[in-house]
């Protein structure tokens, strides 16, 4: 699937996104340790840590884009899709 398709699935959750690039997304993960070339990293905020803290690791492992909370203070050299609810975004991408 491509990034534009992923963004379409998240349309009502997206609060900020780059212009839809024609990037191919091969997989999705919320664990930076399982990110691989072509993956979409979904940064889930948790009670002990925020997945956005591991964004650099996911990108270094090959993630081509990331879904982050609209409140996440992060930046990356990949497209960031900011959403109002990362948990709901994860579920929609999994569908």
């Amino acid at each position: 699937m491509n990034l534009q398709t992923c963004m379409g699935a998240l349309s009502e959750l997206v609060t900020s996104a780059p212009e839809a690039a024609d990037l191919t997304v091969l997989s999705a993960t919320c664990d930076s340790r399982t990110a691989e070339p072509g993956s979409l990293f979904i940064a889930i905020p948790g009670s002990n840590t925020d997945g956005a803290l591991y964004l650099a690791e996911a990108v270094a492992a090959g993630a081509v884009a990331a879904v982050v909370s609209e409140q996440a203070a992060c930046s990356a050299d990949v497209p960031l899709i900011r959403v109002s609810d990362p948990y709901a975004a994860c579920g929609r991408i999994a569908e």
Side-chain angles (χ1 to χ4, degrees), residues 25-86:
V25 174
L26 302 175
S27 63
T29 184
C30 59
D31 186 338
S32 63
R33 296 168 296 184
T34 62
E36 58 190 9
S39 63
L40 173 66
F41 178 62
I42 306 164
I44 302 289
S47 57
N48 294 324
T49 191
D50 187 338
L53 297 173
Y54 303 96
L55 178 58
E57 291 175 16
V59 171
V64 295
V67 174
V68 298
S69 167
E70 62 189 352
Q71 294 91 9
C74 60
S75 62
D77 291 333
V78 298
L80 294 180
I81 303 165
R82 294 187 180 273
V83 296
S84 57
D85 185 347

Side-chain angles (χ1 to χ4, degrees), residues 2-12 14 92:
N2 65 28
L3 185 59
Q4 189 170 8
T5 302
C6 290
M7 288 173 50
L10 305 175
S11 61
E12 62 253 12
V14 174
R92 290 198 184 159

